[in-house]
Every structure is written in C-alpha cells, then in structure tokens.
Amino acid sequence: MNSTFEIQPIFSSFLIQTKLDLDTKSIKNWIEESYHTNYKIPLTFDEDILKDFYLSLKEILDNLHLALGFSKNTKQQFQEAWVNVESRERISVPHTHPSADLICVYYPYVEQGSGNLEFINPNSSVEYVFPQTRDNTIIDTHNLFNSKLWQVVPENDLLVVFPSWLHHYVRQGNPNTTRMSIALNSKTVRI
Amino acid sequence: MEVAYFFPSCVWLEKLNFDLEKLKQDLDLFAEKGRLIERSNMAGLQYDNYLNADLSDAILRTFPRVEGKIVKNPFVYMWVNRNPKGARNSRHTHITYTRNLLLSGVYYVKVPKDSGRIRFYDPRNISIMNPPDNEYYNDSNTYNFVQPVKDMILFFPSWFEHDVEENKSNDERISIGFNIFSEVEEIKMGNAYNVE
C-alpha cells in the first residue's frame, strides 16, 4: 500500500521578491530633495538617478516574461511609474492596477513598522473551505493552499513583482514612520 | 428596454426603530465584562457574543424573507464594534465554518459625522481587470459605499466583502455585527429567468 503523494499547485498567482543592490541612499536623497509636498510623484523613465533601477527591472521582467510562458513575439513594456512618499496617515484601500499586466514595487527606503504589503487571494471560494479570522480559525499551518491573505514585509532595496489581478494594499502601520516606494506598471505588447 | 439582473449582490437597508438609549446603556455594561476579540478591528474594540433577546427578536422580525419559503429555527449571533477616533475595520467577510449561515448584517447604534462609511467590494473577480463594459456602464467602480445612520440595519450575504473607513470624528462609532444562522427548508438549484 502506498500512501505517499504530491500536492500539485494549480491555477497559481505569483510573487517575486528580490534585492536589486542599488544605491538606495542616493535614491532616497533624490526623492527628498526633489519633492517636498507631493505624495504621488509621476516618473518619466529618463531620470538619471533611476537608470540602474530601470535596467535591473527590465532584465527581471524579460526573464519573468519568458518564465510565464509568453510568446517570444511579445515583450514587457514599462507603462507608467510613480513614487509614493508617505510619512503621515495612510489610507490603504485594496486595489488592483487594471490597465497593467504586471505590477512592480521597489522600496528605496522604509522604516520598520511602516506597514506590510498585503495581498488578497483572488480565489475567494478558498475562504469557505478554510474559514479563518485572527482569533477563530481551523487552520494550524498557513500555506499556499489555505491562505486568504499573503504579506510582504518591505525592506530597503526590495523589489516585489506580482500580477495586476491581485488586490493589494498597505496594512496599517505606525503613521509616524516614513515609507518611500516606486510603483511601476508593465504591459505585455507585441514586438 | 428591459434589464435582467442576473446574480445580483444585494444589501438590504432598513430602519429598525429600536430603543437606542436603552441599548447604549446595555452596551456600556457589556463593555465592562464582554470578551474582547480580534477580527476585522484595526485600532478599535470588538466584543464577542453579545446577547440581547429584544434586539435578536427585532432582527429576526426584520430580515428579508422569500415568500413561500420557511426558515427553520433561525437564530442571531451578535458582536459589538466600538471604533474610537482613528479606528477602522479591514476588508473581510462573515464566512464561518458553520455552513448554515443564512445572512449577515450590521446594526448602527451610534454614528457620529465622518466616523466612517461601510464599503462593499464587487465580488465579480473579472471586473477588477476593468473591461470596457465596466468602464462604460459602471464608471470603473469596484466598490460601493453605504453611509450609515443611527438605527439603520443592513443585511447582506456572508460572502460579501466589506470594510469600514477610518473614524475621523472625535466621538466613538458603535455598531453591532451579526450573523443569522438557520436551516433553510428547501434549496432549489438554479432559477429560470423568463423574458416576457
């Protein structure tokens, strides 16, 4: 009798987390010096200080594009990007970026406790089989198959990439902490 | 032109006409002895298993019924939400591992101005990609708000995801969340829509 088996994850979402090894101090200083009042700052893809960021991101998105099985007659193209600077009260409503295909978030500077990035499982039916609240759950170990939420703890120099269909938001953190992030939307286009 | 609404996501709104002063007094007593829980509350307080027979009866008298269908042995499970300034409730459902949860809801006891609206999210997952029809017919809305007032009661399906905005007033916002459990006598699979 054989009772061993392998669980195959099917219909998966995905998440990439990687450090870019960039000069985050210079980027932080540039953001601080360039902008004083705005909390959402549009980017134009030709900022000299972000040249290495754009190059690294392009390489990662090219590799991800192939890993996701897209045709070689297509490629990822930067669509829009912006800097978020939040140091006061944060209103974080779950949202998606419907005009994009892939979403990238890079953290040049975050202070501890400024709030985790949280994703909501797009398969809402999971909750019926694995219902859970913070103090009332029937789950012992959270994993890929039973989780309604998935959290990323932001760190300096961390890049996060995920599909645009994932609802995401910043979990409420300490409102007195500073959090700088660069968001970038990427779209699949034909070559 | 006739419009057929298939699979609508309903929120029922009603005024309960309940004795709020008496209820507030009872809730203050309950806050001294009630069990604190952590569910959707962000910086607010939630107290589990609030028992109030008058309120339960009022809810059971009011909840939306379907003519000709009997709901067997319904009962109400309640909890209390007290949101001071700065508190809110994160996005959540009322789904439990008890499958006989018929309907969920919330009753508003105290709602100061700017203490937070309740927001319901579009449960149709494909709409989050904002296809052109959603942009054209729905202005790309992926959620809708209800502005609560005191004595308002809302009923909604347990799976309907919702959250509560931050309380920006200096006063406390008090509401009672609830689930109505039941044994529904008959469940039909599917409904036919007949075009006249």
Side-chain angles (χ1 to χ4, degrees):
Chain A
M1 182 177 162
N2 180 11
S3 60
T4 60
F5 58 86
E6 183 186 344
I7 301 182
Q8 293 181 11
I10 60 173
F11 306 126
S12 180
S13 290
F14 59 88
L15 174 67
I16 288 172
Q17 296 185 73
T18 185
K19 294 279 186 109
L20 296 187
D21 198 21
L22 298 180
D23 181 359
T24 54
K25 197 172 176 184
S26 296
I27 298 174
K28 173 182 180 272
N29 290 341
W30 172 74
I31 292 171
E32 282 177 339
E33 287 165 10
S34 306
Y35 307 100
H36 301 286
T37 53
N38 289 344
Y39 285 83
K40 185 174 177 181
I41 305 149
L43 297 174
T44 53
F45 303 121
D46 56 7
E47 295 85 3
D48 217 32
I49 188 82
L50 297 178
K51 191 177 166 190
D52 287 344
F53 166 69
Y54 291 133
L55 282 172
S56 298
L57 189 56
K58 184 181 180 314
E59 192 176 335
I60 287 168
L61 288 180
D62 284 348
N63 291 337
L64 176 61
H65 186 83
L66 293 177
L68 291 173
F70 280 112
S71 157
K72 286 178 180 167
N73 297 325
T74 63
K75 65 172 184 177
Q76 290 300 309
Q77 188 169 76
F78 294 168
Q79 199 181 26
E80 57 180 334
W82 62 96
V83 174
N84 287 307
V85 181
E86 301 171 283
S87 58
R88 295 184 301 190
E89 171 197 330
R90 216 168 278 124
I91 300 173
S92 302
V93 178
H95 63 281
T96 62
H97 299 191
S99 62
D101 290 333
L102 300 174
I103 302 173
C104 313
V105 182
Y106 177 69
Y107 298 100
Y109 182 75
V110 282
E111 289 178 359
Q112 199 176 6
S114 66
N116 293 348
L117 178 63
E118 194 157 271
F119 299 94
I120 299 172
N121 189 337
N123 178 6
S124 53
S125 303
V126 164
E127 200 182 358
Y128 254 104
V129 180
F130 304 102
Q132 51 207 291
T133 57
R134 275 184 281 171
D135 73 338
N136 183 11
T137 181
I138 55 171
I139 307 300
D140 274 346
T141 308
H142 284 95
N143 59 32
L144 195 61
F145 305 104
N146 61 29
S147 295
K148 180 189 178 184
L149 301 172
W150 204 274
Q151 284 197 349
V152 168
V153 181
E155 295 174 37
N156 289 355
D157 194 45
L158 180 70
L159 173 75
V160 181
V161 185
F162 52 93
S164 62
W165 66 72
L166 278 183
H167 265 109
H168 58 283
Y169 57 104
V170 178
R171 193 85 181 174
Q172 190 168 3
N174 182 346
N176 298 318
T177 52
T178 299
R179 177 194 187 89
M180 292 178 179
S181 62
I182 299 173
L184 187 145
N185 288 342
S186 178
K187 185 83 183 159
T188 307
V189 294
R190 286 193 182 277
I191 296 173
Chain B
M1 190 185 303
E2 186 178 4
V3 181
Y5 289 96
F6 291 140
F7 313 118
S9 305
C10 294
V11 175
W12 292 267
L13 299 86
E14 183 61 282
K15 195 173 164 61
L16 200 58
N17 294 315
F18 201 72
D19 184 344
L20 282 172
E21 288 311 310
K22 193 177 164 190
L23 179 60
K24 276 182 202 167
Q25 288 172 16
D26 192 52
L27 289 174
D28 286 341
L29 287 173
F30 183 64
E32 292 172 11
K33 62 185 179 185
R35 186 173 75 92
L36 280 168
I37 48 172
E38 286 193 354
R39 290 193 178 155
S40 64
N41 46 326
M42 309 286 286
L45 299 172
Q46 285 185 300
Y47 298 89
D48 198 22
N49 195 18
Y50 176 56
L51 301 173
N52 183 320
D54 291 339
L55 184 59
S56 294
D57 289 347
I59 290 171
L60 291 177
R61 278 197 305 273
T62 311
F63 85 86
R65 303 293 215 286
V66 176
E67 198 177 335
K69 284 189 177 177
I70 295 169
V71 179
K72 279 185 183 171
N73 305 320
F75 72 95
V76 184
Y77 189 92
M78 298 185 285
W79 60 93
V80 179
N81 308 298
R82 301 189 80 125
N83 284 14
K85 182 182 175 67
R88 63 190 179 93
N89 294 80
S90 62
R91 178 169 158 161
H92 64 284
T93 70
H94 287 198
I95 292 172
T96 71
Y97 47 83
T98 310
R99 293 292 179 97
N100 59 344
L101 171 49
L102 175 67
L103 200 61
S104 295
V106 60
Y107 176 62
Y108 293 98
V109 181
K110 187 179 173 189
V111 189
K113 190 172 181 291
D114 298 326
S115 63
R117 297 172 292 179
I118 185 169
R119 169 176 31 218
F120 291 92
Y121 289 86
D122 189 339
R124 300 166 304 167
N125 209 36
I126 190 66
S127 71
I128 65 175
M129 302 309 287
N130 200 19
D133 62 282
N134 199 35
E135 187 179 342
Y136 185 74
Y137 293 105
N138 302 318
D139 294 329
S140 302
N141 285 334
T142 55
Y143 47 74
N144 274 315
F145 291 100
V146 174
Q147 172 62 62
V149 293
K150 69 177 181 183
D151 196 43
M152 175 189 277
I153 189 165
L154 302 183
F155 299 96
F156 48 84
S158 64
W159 45 261
F160 209 160
E161 286 189 291
H162 56 283
D163 61 12
V164 177
E165 292 180 302
E166 181 182 333
N167 182 355
K168 293 180 183 296
S169 78
N170 291 317
D171 209 355
E172 190 182 35
R173 178 190 195 272
I174 305 174
S175 64
I176 297 172
F178 60 85
N179 287 332
I180 301 174
F181 294 90
S182 75
E183 301 165 50
V184 179
E185 189 177 48
E186 182 188 8
I187 298 173
K188 287 180 183 171
M189 298 301 288
N191 286 303
Y193 182 82
N194 298 313
V195 179
E196 296 291 325

